[in-house]
Amino acid sequence: MHDDPNQAWEQYTAALGVALARARATRGLSQEQVAYAAGIAAFSYRKLEKGESNPGTPANPRLRTLVALAGVLGVPVAALLPPDPDGVTAWK
């Protein structure tokens, strides 16, 4: 279990970014193509793949964004989400 909930969240969002990048690569799409099809800015999508919202701030995408990205990538939303990390209870 992580003592620092921020560290747990950073690891979780980094894993989300890896899942997005893998799904995108599997589909043979560019970051720009995915972003456009999902209705978000390419800059925002690139940050999600890095697990960030703003520099140094872990990602926290809207549910609507995750659903749109999953649709574009042809995967269920659950396929993009990593397993619940240790320390999740500390996020309350």
Side-chain angles (χ1 to χ4, degrees):
M1 181 170 172
H2 293 283
D3 292 332
D4 181 359
N6 291 326
Q7 182 183 11
W9 184 245
E10 288 171 8
Q11 290 175 349
Y12 187 83
T13 59
L16 169 65
V18 169
L20 286 167
R22 284 184 181 154
R24 179 179 58 78
T26 297
R27 298 278 307 212
L29 299 171
S30 70
Q31 291 177 327
E32 291 76 16
Q33 289 171 314
V34 172
Y36 179 79
I40 64 173
F43 174 79
S44 297
Y45 180 77
R46 284 191 295 272
K47 299 302 281 178
L48 286 175
E49 277 198 10
K50 291 181 179 181
E52 297 179 342
S53 288
N54 295 314
T57 304
N60 194 7
R62 294 178 179 194
L63 179 58
R64 180 177 220 140
T65 299
L66 288 175
V67 170
L69 289 170
V72 169
L73 297 170
V75 299
V77 173
L80 298 175
L81 300 177
D84 290 343
D86 292 334
V88 71
T89 57
W91 298 349
K92 293 180 183 178

Coordinates of all heavy atoms in Angstrom, one line a residue:
M1 N 0.8 -1.2 0.0 CA 0.0 0.0 0.0 C 0.9 1.2 0.0 O 1.9 1.3 0.7 CB -0.9 0.0 1.2 CG -1.8 1.1 1.3 SD -3.0 0.8 2.6 CE -3.8 2.4 2.7
H2 N 0.5 2.2 -0.8 CA 1.2 3.5 -0.8 C 0.9 4.3 0.4 O -0.3 4.5 0.7 CB 0.9 4.3 -2.1 CG 1.4 3.6 -3.3 ND1 2.7 3.6 -3.7 CD2 0.7 2.9 -4.3 CE1 2.8 2.9 -4.9 NE2 1.6 2.5 -5.2
D3 N 1.9 4.9 1.0 CA 1.6 5.9 2.0 C 1.2 7.2 1.5 O 0.5 8.0 2.1 CB 2.9 6.1 2.9 CG 3.3 4.8 3.7 OD1 2.3 4.0 4.0 OD2 4.4 4.7 4.0
D4 N 1.6 7.5 0.3 CA 1.3 8.8 -0.4 C 0.2 8.6 -1.4 O 0.5 8.0 -2.5 CB 2.5 9.4 -1.0 CG 2.3 10.7 -1.6 OD1 1.2 11.2 -1.7 OD2 3.3 11.3 -2.1
P5 N -1.0 9.1 -1.2 CA -2.1 8.9 -2.2 C -1.8 9.5 -3.6 O -2.2 9.1 -4.6 CB -3.3 9.4 -1.6 CG -2.9 10.2 -0.4 CD -1.5 9.7 0.0
N6 N -1.0 10.6 -3.5 CA -0.6 11.3 -4.8 C 0.3 10.4 -5.6 O 0.1 10.4 -6.8 CB 0.1 12.6 -4.5 CG -0.9 13.6 -3.9 OD1 -2.1 13.7 -4.2 ND2 -0.4 14.5 -3.0
Q7 N 1.2 9.7 -5.0 CA 2.0 8.7 -5.7 C 1.2 7.6 -6.3 O 1.4 7.2 -7.5 CB 3.1 8.2 -4.8 CG 4.1 7.2 -5.5 CD 5.1 6.6 -4.6 OE1 5.0 6.7 -3.4 NE2 6.1 5.9 -5.2
A8 N 0.2 7.1 -5.6 CA -0.6 6.0 -6.1 C -1.4 6.6 -7.3 O -1.5 5.9 -8.3 CB -1.6 5.6 -5.0
W9 N -1.9 7.8 -7.2 CA -2.7 8.4 -8.4 C -1.7 8.6 -9.6 O -2.1 8.3 -10.7 CB -3.3 9.7 -7.9 CG -4.2 10.3 -8.9 CD1 -3.9 11.5 -9.6 CD2 -5.4 9.8 -9.5 NE1 -5.0 11.7 -10.5 CE2 -5.8 10.7 -10.5 CE3 -6.1 8.6 -9.3 CZ2 -7.0 10.5 -11.2 CZ3 -7.3 8.4 -10.0 CH2 -7.7 9.4 -11.0
E10 N -0.5 9.1 -9.3 CA 0.4 9.3 -10.4 C 0.7 8.0 -11.2 O 0.8 7.9 -12.4 CB 1.7 9.9 -9.9 CG 1.6 11.4 -9.5 CD 2.8 11.9 -8.8 OE1 3.8 11.2 -8.7 OE2 2.7 13.1 -8.3
Q11 N 0.9 6.9 -10.4 CA 1.2 5.6 -11.0 C -0.1 5.1 -11.8 O 0.1 4.5 -12.9 CB 1.6 4.6 -10.0 CG 3.0 4.9 -9.4 CD 3.4 4.0 -8.3 OE1 2.5 3.2 -7.7 NE2 4.6 4.0 -7.9
Y12 N -1.2 5.3 -11.2 CA -2.5 4.9 -11.9 C -2.6 5.7 -13.2 O -3.0 5.0 -14.2 CB -3.7 5.2 -10.9 CG -5.0 4.6 -11.4 CD1 -5.3 3.3 -11.2 CD2 -5.9 5.4 -12.1 CE1 -6.5 2.8 -11.7 CE2 -7.1 4.9 -12.6 CZ -7.4 3.6 -12.4 OH -8.6 3.1 -12.8
T13 N -2.5 7.0 -13.2 CA -2.7 7.7 -14.4 C -1.6 7.4 -15.4 O -1.9 7.5 -16.6 CB -2.7 9.2 -14.1 OG1 -1.6 9.7 -13.5 CG2 -3.9 9.6 -13.2
A14 N -0.4 7.1 -15.0 CA 0.7 6.7 -15.9 C 0.3 5.4 -16.6 O 0.5 5.2 -17.8 CB 2.0 6.6 -15.2
A15 N -0.3 4.5 -15.9 CA -0.7 3.2 -16.4 C -1.9 3.4 -17.4 O -2.0 2.8 -18.4 CB -1.1 2.2 -15.3
L16 N -2.8 4.4 -17.1 CA -3.8 4.7 -18.0 C -3.2 5.2 -19.3 O -3.7 4.8 -20.4 CB -4.7 5.8 -17.4 CG -5.7 6.5 -18.4 CD1 -6.8 5.5 -18.9 CD2 -6.4 7.6 -17.7
G17 N -2.2 6.1 -19.3 CA -1.5 6.6 -20.4 C -0.9 5.5 -21.3 O -1.0 5.5 -22.5
V18 N -0.3 4.5 -20.6 CA 0.3 3.4 -21.4 C -0.8 2.6 -22.1 O -0.7 2.2 -23.2 CB 1.1 2.5 -20.4 CG1 1.4 1.2 -21.1 CG2 2.3 3.2 -19.9
A19 N -2.0 2.4 -21.4 CA -3.1 1.7 -22.0 C -3.6 2.4 -23.2 O -3.9 1.8 -24.3 CB -4.2 1.4 -21.0
L20 N -3.7 3.7 -23.1 CA -4.2 4.5 -24.3 C -3.2 4.4 -25.4 O -3.6 4.2 -26.6 CB -4.3 6.0 -23.9 CG -5.5 6.4 -23.0 CD1 -5.3 7.8 -22.4 CD2 -6.8 6.3 -23.8
A21 N -1.9 4.5 -25.2 CA -0.9 4.4 -26.2 C -0.9 3.1 -26.9 O -0.8 3.0 -28.1 CB 0.5 4.8 -25.7
R22 N -1.0 2.0 -26.1 CA -1.1 0.7 -26.7 C -2.3 0.4 -27.5 O -2.2 -0.1 -28.6 CB -1.0 -0.4 -25.6 CG 0.3 -0.5 -24.9 CD 0.3 -1.6 -23.9 NE 1.7 -1.8 -23.3 CZ 1.9 -2.2 -22.1 NH1 0.9 -2.7 -21.4 NH2 3.2 -2.3 -21.7
A23 N -3.4 0.9 -27.1 CA -4.7 0.7 -27.8 C -4.6 1.5 -29.1 O -5.0 1.1 -30.2 CB -5.9 1.1 -27.0
R24 N -4.0 2.7 -29.0 CA -3.9 3.6 -30.2 C -2.9 2.9 -31.2 O -3.2 2.8 -32.5 CB -3.3 4.9 -29.8 CG -3.1 5.9 -31.0 CD -2.6 7.2 -30.5 NE -1.4 7.2 -29.8 CZ -0.2 7.0 -30.3 NH1 0.0 6.9 -31.6 NH2 0.9 7.0 -29.5
A25 N -1.8 2.4 -30.8 CA -0.8 1.7 -31.6 C -1.5 0.5 -32.3 O -1.2 0.2 -33.5 CB 0.4 1.3 -30.9
T26 N -2.3 -0.3 -31.6 CA -2.9 -1.4 -32.1 C -3.8 -1.1 -33.3 O -3.9 -1.8 -34.2 CB -3.7 -2.2 -31.0 OG1 -2.8 -2.6 -30.0 CG2 -4.5 -3.3 -31.5
R27 N -4.5 0.1 -33.1 CA -5.4 0.5 -34.2 C -4.6 1.3 -35.3 O -5.2 1.6 -36.4 CB -6.4 1.5 -33.6 CG -7.3 0.9 -32.6 CD -8.5 0.2 -33.2 NE -9.2 1.0 -34.1 CZ -10.4 1.0 -34.4 NH1 -11.2 0.2 -33.7 NH2 -11.0 1.8 -35.3
G28 N -3.4 1.5 -35.1 CA -2.6 2.2 -36.2 C -3.0 3.7 -36.3 O -2.9 4.2 -37.5
L29 N -3.4 4.3 -35.3 CA -3.8 5.7 -35.3 C -2.7 6.6 -34.7 O -2.0 6.2 -33.8 CB -5.1 5.9 -34.6 CG -6.3 5.1 -35.1 CD1 -7.5 5.2 -34.1 CD2 -6.7 5.6 -36.5
S30 N -2.7 7.8 -35.2 CA -1.9 8.9 -34.6 C -2.6 9.5 -33.4 O -3.8 9.4 -33.3 CB -1.5 10.0 -35.6 OG -2.7 10.7 -35.9
Q31 N -1.8 10.2 -32.6 CA -2.4 10.9 -31.5 C -3.4 11.9 -31.9 O -4.5 12.1 -31.4 CB -1.4 11.6 -30.6 CG -0.5 10.6 -29.9 CD 0.6 11.3 -29.1 OE1 1.2 12.3 -29.5 NE2 1.0 10.7 -28.0
E32 N -3.1 12.6 -33.0 CA -4.0 13.6 -33.6 C -5.3 13.0 -34.1 O -6.4 13.5 -33.9 CB -3.3 14.4 -34.7 CG -2.2 15.2 -34.2 CD -0.9 14.5 -33.8 OE1 -0.7 13.3 -34.2 OE2 0.0 15.1 -33.2
Q33 N -5.2 11.8 -34.7 CA -6.4 11.2 -35.2 C -7.4 10.8 -34.1 O -8.6 10.9 -34.2 CB -6.0 9.9 -36.0 CG -5.4 10.2 -37.4 CD -4.9 9.0 -38.1 OE1 -4.2 8.2 -37.4 NE2 -5.1 8.9 -39.4
V34 N -6.8 10.2 -33.0 CA -7.6 9.8 -31.9 C -8.2 11.0 -31.2 O -9.4 11.0 -31.0 CB -6.7 9.0 -30.9 CG1 -7.5 8.7 -29.6 CG2 -6.2 7.7 -31.5
A35 N -7.4 12.0 -31.0 CA -8.0 13.2 -30.4 C -9.1 13.8 -31.2 O -10.2 14.1 -30.6 CB -6.8 14.3 -30.2
Y36 N -8.9 14.0 -32.5 CA -9.9 14.6 -33.3 C -11.2 13.7 -33.3 O -12.3 14.3 -33.1 CB -9.4 14.7 -34.8 CG -10.5 15.3 -35.7 CD1 -10.7 16.6 -35.8 CD2 -11.2 14.4 -36.6 CE1 -11.6 17.1 -36.6 CE2 -12.2 14.9 -37.4 CZ -12.4 16.3 -37.4 OH -13.3 16.8 -38.3
A37 N -11.1 12.4 -33.4 CA -12.2 11.5 -33.4 C -13.0 11.5 -32.1 O -14.2 11.4 -32.1 CB -11.8 10.1 -33.8
A38 N -12.2 11.8 -31.0 CA -12.8 11.8 -29.7 C -13.4 13.2 -29.3 O -14.0 13.3 -28.3 CB -11.8 11.3 -28.6
G39 N -13.1 14.2 -30.1 CA -13.5 15.5 -29.8 C -12.8 16.3 -28.8 O -13.3 17.1 -28.1
I40 N -11.5 15.9 -28.7 CA -10.6 16.7 -27.7 C -9.4 17.2 -28.5 O -9.1 16.8 -29.6 CB -10.2 15.8 -26.5 CG1 -9.3 14.6 -27.0 CG2 -11.4 15.3 -25.7 CD1 -8.7 13.8 -25.8
A41 N -8.7 18.1 -27.8 CA -7.5 18.7 -28.4 C -6.4 17.7 -28.4 O -6.3 16.9 -27.5 CB -7.1 20.0 -27.7
A42 N -5.6 17.7 -29.5 CA -4.4 16.8 -29.6 C -3.5 17.0 -28.4 O -3.0 16.1 -27.9 CB -3.7 17.1 -30.9
F43 N -3.3 18.3 -28.0 CA -2.5 18.6 -26.8 C -3.0 17.8 -25.6 O -2.3 17.2 -24.8 CB -2.5 20.1 -26.5 CG -1.7 20.4 -25.3 CD1 -0.4 20.5 -25.2 CD2 -2.4 20.7 -24.1 CE1 0.3 20.8 -24.1 CE2 -1.8 21.1 -23.0 CZ -0.4 21.1 -22.9
S44 N -4.3 17.9 -25.4 CA -5.0 17.2 -24.2 C -4.7 15.7 -24.3 O -4.5 15.0 -23.3 CB -6.5 17.5 -24.2 OG -6.7 18.9 -24.0
Y45 N -4.9 15.1 -25.5 CA -4.7 13.7 -25.7 C -3.2 13.3 -25.4 O -3.0 12.3 -24.7 CB -5.1 13.2 -27.0 CG -4.9 11.7 -27.1 CD1 -5.8 10.8 -26.5 CD2 -3.8 11.2 -27.8 CE1 -5.6 9.5 -26.6 CE2 -3.6 9.8 -27.8 CZ -4.4 9.0 -27.2 OH -4.2 7.6 -27.2
R46 N -2.3 14.1 -25.9 CA -0.9 13.8 -25.6 C -0.6 13.8 -24.2 O 0.2 13.0 -23.7 CB 0.0 14.8 -26.4 CG 0.1 14.5 -27.9 CD 1.2 15.3 -28.5 NE 0.9 16.8 -28.5 CZ 0.2 17.4 -29.4 NH1 -0.3 16.8 -30.4 NH2 0.1 18.7 -29.3
K47 N -1.2 14.7 -23.4 CA -1.0 14.8 -22.0 C -1.6 13.6 -21.3 O -1.0 13.0 -20.4 CB -1.6 16.1 -21.4 CG -1.0 17.4 -21.9 CD 0.4 17.5 -21.7 CE 0.7 17.9 -20.3 NZ 2.1 18.0 -20.0
L48 N -2.7 13.1 -21.8 CA -3.3 11.9 -21.2 C -2.4 10.7 -21.4 O -2.3 9.9 -20.5 CB -4.7 11.6 -21.8 CG -5.8 12.5 -21.3 CD1 -7.1 12.2 -22.1 CD2 -6.0 12.4 -19.9
E49 N -1.8 10.6 -22.5 CA -0.8 9.5 -22.8 C 0.4 9.6 -21.8 O 1.0 8.5 -21.5 CB -0.4 9.4 -24.2 CG -1.4 8.6 -25.1 CD -0.8 8.2 -26.4 OE1 0.4 8.2 -26.6 OE2 -1.6 7.7 -27.3
K50 N 0.7 10.8 -21.4 CA 1.8 10.9 -20.5 C 1.3 10.8 -19.0 O 2.1 10.8 -18.1 CB 2.4 12.3 -20.6 CG 3.2 12.5 -21.9 CD 3.8 13.9 -22.0 CE 4.6 14.1 -23.2 NZ 5.1 15.4 -23.3
G51 N 0.0 10.6 -18.8 CA -0.6 10.5 -17.5 C -0.7 11.9 -16.8 O -0.7 11.9 -15.5
E52 N -0.7 13.0 -17.5 CA -0.7 14.3 -16.9 C -1.9 15.1 -17.4 O -2.5 14.8 -18.5 CB 0.5 15.1 -17.4 CG 1.8 14.5 -16.9 CD 3.0 15.4 -17.4 OE1 2.9 16.2 -18.3 OE2 4.1 15.2 -16.8
S53 N -2.3 16.1 -16.6 CA -3.3 17.1 -17.0 C -2.5 18.3 -17.4 O -2.6 18.8 -18.5 CB -4.3 17.4 -15.9 OG -5.2 16.3 -15.7
N54 N -1.9 18.9 -16.4 CA -0.9 20.0 -16.6 C 0.4 19.5 -16.2 O 0.5 18.5 -15.5 CB -1.4 21.2 -15.7 CG -2.7 21.7 -16.1 OD1 -3.0 22.0 -17.2 ND2 -3.6 21.9 -15.1
P55 N 1.5 20.2 -16.6 CA 2.8 19.7 -16.2 C 2.9 19.4 -14.7 O 2.6 20.3 -13.9 CB 3.7 20.8 -16.7 CG 3.0 21.4 -17.8 CD 1.5 21.4 -17.4
G56 N 3.3 18.2 -14.4 CA 3.5 17.9 -13.0 C 2.2 17.5 -12.2 O 2.2 17.3 -11.0
T57 N 1.1 17.5 -12.9 CA -0.2 17.2 -12.3 C -0.8 16.0 -12.9 O -1.0 15.9 -14.2 CB -1.2 18.4 -12.6 OG1 -0.7 19.6 -12.1 CG2 -2.5 18.1 -11.9
P58 N -1.1 15.0 -12.1 CA -1.6 13.7 -12.7 C -2.9 13.9 -13.4 O -3.7 14.8 -13.1 CB -1.9 12.8 -11.5 CG -1.0 13.4 -10.4 CD -0.9 14.9 -10.7
A59 N -3.2 13.1 -14.5 CA -4.4 13.2 -15.3 C -5.6 13.0 -14.4 O -5.6 12.2 -13.5 CB -4.3 12.2 -16.4
N60 N -6.7 13.6 -14.8 CA -8.0 13.3 -14.2 C -9.1 13.6 -15.3 O -9.8 14.5 -15.2 CB -8.2 14.2 -13.0 CG -9.3 13.8 -12.1 OD1 -9.9 12.7 -12.3 ND2 -9.7 14.6 -11.2
P61 N -9.1 12.7 -16.3 CA -10.0 12.9 -17.4 C -11.5 12.7 -17.0 O -11.8 12.0 -16.1 CB -9.6 11.9 -18.5 CG -9.0 10.8 -17.6 CD -8.3 11.5 -16.5
R62 N -12.3 13.4 -17.7 CA -13.8 13.3 -17.5 C -14.2 11.9 -18.0 O -13.6 11.3 -18.9 CB -14.5 14.3 -18.3 CG -14.3 15.7 -17.9 CD -15.1 16.7 -18.8 NE -14.9 18.0 -18.4 CZ -15.6 19.0 -18.8 NH1 -16.6 18.8 -19.7 NH2 -15.4 20.2 -18.4
L63 N -15.3 11.4 -17.4 CA -15.8 10.1 -17.9 C -16.2 10.2 -19.3 O -16.0 9.3 -20.1 CB -17.0 9.8 -17.0 CG -17.7 8.4 -17.3 CD1 -16.7 7.3 -17.3 CD2 -18.9 8.2 -16.4
R64 N -16.8 11.3 -19.7 CA -17.2 11.5 -21.1 C -16.0 11.3 -22.1 O -16.1 10.7 -23.1 CB -17.8 12.8 -21.3 CG -18.3 13.1 -22.7 CD -19.0 14.5 -22.8 NE -20.1 14.3 -23.7 CZ -21.3 14.8 -23.6 NH1 -21.5 15.6 -22.6 NH2 -22.2 14.6 -24.5
T65 N -14.8 11.9 -21.7 CA -13.6 11.8 -22.5 C -13.2 10.3 -22.5 O -12.8 9.8 -23.6 CB -12.5 12.6 -21.9 OG1 -12.9 14.0 -21.9 CG2 -11.2 12.5 -22.6
L66 N -13.2 9.6 -21.4 CA -12.8 8.2 -21.4 C -13.7 7.4 -22.3 O -13.2 6.5 -23.1 CB -12.8 7.6 -20.0 CG -11.6 8.1 -19.1 CD1 -11.8 7.6 -17.7 CD2 -10.3 7.7 -19.7
V67 N -15.0 7.6 -22.2 CA -15.9 6.9 -23.1 C -15.7 7.2 -24.5 O -15.7 6.2 -25.4 CB -17.4 7.2 -22.7 CG1 -18.4 6.6 -23.6 CG2 -17.7 6.7 -21.2
A68 N -15.5 8.4 -24.9 CA -15.2 8.8 -26.3 C -13.9 8.1 -26.8 O -13.9 7.6 -27.9 CB -15.1 10.3 -26.4
L69 N -12.9 8.2 -26.0 CA -11.6 7.5 -26.4 C -11.7 6.0 -26.5 O -11.2 5.5 -27.5 CB -10.5 7.9 -25.3 CG -10.0 9.3 -25.3 CD1 -9.1 9.6 -24.1 CD2 -9.3 9.7 -26.6
A70 N -12.4 5.4 -25.6 CA -12.6 4.0 -25.7 C -13.4 3.6 -27.0 O -13.0 2.7 -27.7 CB -13.4 3.4 -24.5
G71 N -14.4 4.4 -27.4 CA -15.1 4.2 -28.6 C -14.2 4.4 -29.8 O -14.3 3.5 -30.8
V72 N -13.4 5.4 -29.9 CA -12.5 5.6 -31.0 C -11.5 4.5 -31.1 O -11.2 4.0 -32.2 CB -11.8 7.0 -30.8 CG1 -10.6 7.1 -31.8 CG2 -12.7 8.1 -31.0
L73 N -11.0 4.0 -30.0 CA -10.0 3.0 -29.9 C -10.6 1.5 -30.1 O -9.8 0.6 -30.2 CB -9.2 3.1 -28.7 CG -8.4 4.4 -28.5 CD1 -7.8 4.6 -27.2 CD2 -7.3 4.5 -29.6
G74 N -11.9 1.4 -30.0 CA -12.5 0.2 -30.2 C -12.3 -0.8 -29.0 O -12.3 -2.0 -29.2
V75 N -12.3 -0.3 -27.8 CA -12.1 -1.1 -26.6 C -13.1 -0.6 -25.6 O -13.6 0.5 -25.6 CB -10.7 -1.0 -26.0 CG1 -9.6 -1.5 -27.0 CG2 -10.4 0.4 -25.6
P76 N -13.5 -1.5 -24.7 CA -14.3 -1.1 -23.5 C -13.6 -0.1 -22.6 O -12.3 -0.2 -22.5 CB -14.7 -2.4 -22.8 CG -14.0 -3.5 -23.5 CD -13.2 -3.0 -24.6
V77 N -14.3 0.7 -22.0 CA -13.6 1.7 -21.1 C -12.8 0.9 -20.1 O -11.6 1.3 -19.7 CB -14.6 2.6 -20.3 CG1 -14.0 3.4 -19.3 CG2 -15.4 3.5 -21.3
A78 N -13.3 -0.2 -19.5 CA -12.5 -1.0 -18.5 C -11.2 -1.5 -19.0 O -10.3 -1.6 -18.2 CB -13.4 -2.2 -18.1
A79 N -11.0 -1.6 -20.3 CA -9.8 -2.1 -20.9 C -8.7 -1.0 -20.8 O -7.5 -1.3 -20.8 CB -9.9 -2.5 -22.3
L80 N -9.1 0.3 -20.6 CA -8.2 1.4 -20.5 C -7.7 1.6 -19.1 O -6.7 2.2 -18.8 CB -8.8 2.7 -21.1 CG -9.1 2.7 -22.6 CD1 -9.8 3.9 -22.9 CD2 -7.9 2.4 -23.4
L81 N -8.6 1.2 -18.1 CA -8.3 1.5 -16.7 C -7.5 0.4 -16.1 O -7.8 -0.8 -16.2 CB -9.7 1.6 -16.0 CG -10.6 2.7 -16.5 CD1 -11.9 2.7 -15.7 CD2 -9.9 4.1 -16.4
P82 N -6.4 0.8 -15.4 CA -5.6 -0.2 -14.7 C -6.4 -0.7 -13.5 O -7.4 -0.2 -13.1 CB -4.4 0.7 -14.2 CG -4.5 2.0 -14.8 CD -5.9 2.1 -15.3
P83 N -5.9 -1.8 -12.9 CA -6.5 -2.3 -11.7 C -6.4 -1.3 -10.6 O -5.6 -0.4 -10.6 CB -5.6 -3.5 -11.3 CG -4.8 -3.9 -12.5 CD -4.7 -2.6 -13.4
D84 N -7.4 -1.3 -9.7 CA -7.4 -0.4 -8.6 C -6.0 -0.4 -7.9 O -5.5 -1.5 -7.5 CB -8.5 -0.7 -7.6 CG -9.8 -0.4 -8.1 OD1 -9.9 0.3 -9.1 OD2 -10.8 -0.9 -7.6
P85 N -5.4 0.7 -7.7 CA -4.1 0.8 -7.1 C -4.2 0.7 -5.5 O -5.2 1.0 -5.0 CB -3.5 2.1 -7.5 CG -4.8 3.0 -7.6 CD -5.8 2.1 -8.1
D86 N -3.1 0.3 -4.9 CA -3.0 0.4 -3.5 C -3.1 1.9 -3.1 O -2.7 2.8 -3.9 CB -1.6 -0.1 -3.0 CG -1.5 -1.5 -3.1 OD1 -2.5 -2.3 -3.2 OD2 -0.3 -2.0 -3.2
G87 N -3.8 2.2 -2.1 CA -3.9 3.6 -1.6 C -5.2 4.3 -2.1 O -5.4 5.4 -1.9
V88 N -6.0 3.5 -2.8 CA -7.2 4.1 -3.4 C -8.1 4.7 -2.3 O -8.8 5.7 -2.4 CB -8.0 3.2 -4.3 CG1 -8.6 2.1 -3.5 CG2 -9.0 3.9 -5.1
T89 N -8.1 4.1 -1.1 CA -9.0 4.5 -0.1 C -8.5 5.9 0.5 O -9.3 6.6 1.1 CB -9.1 3.5 1.1 OG1 -7.7 3.3 1.6 CG2 -9.7 2.2 0.7
A90 N -7.3 6.2 0.3 CA -6.7 7.5 0.8 C -7.2 8.6 -0.1 O -6.9 9.8 0.2 CB -5.2 7.4 0.8
W91 N -7.8 8.4 -1.2 CA -8.2 9.5 -2.1 C -9.5 10.1 -1.7 O -10.0 11.1 -2.3 CB -8.4 8.9 -3.5 CG -7.2 8.4 -4.2 CD1 -5.9 8.5 -3.7 CD2 -7.1 7.6 -5.3 NE1 -5.1 7.8 -4.5 CE2 -5.8 7.3 -5.6 CE3 -8.0 7.2 -6.3 CZ2 -5.3 6.6 -6.6 CZ3 -7.6 6.5 -7.3 CH2 -6.3 6.2 -7.5
K92 N -10.2 9.6 -0.7 CA -11.4 10.2 -0.2 C -11.4 11.7 0.1 O -10.4 12.2 0.6 CB -12.0 9.4 1.0 CG -12.3 8.0 0.6 CD -12.8 7.3 1.8 CE -13.1 5.8 1.5 NZ -13.6 5.1 2.6

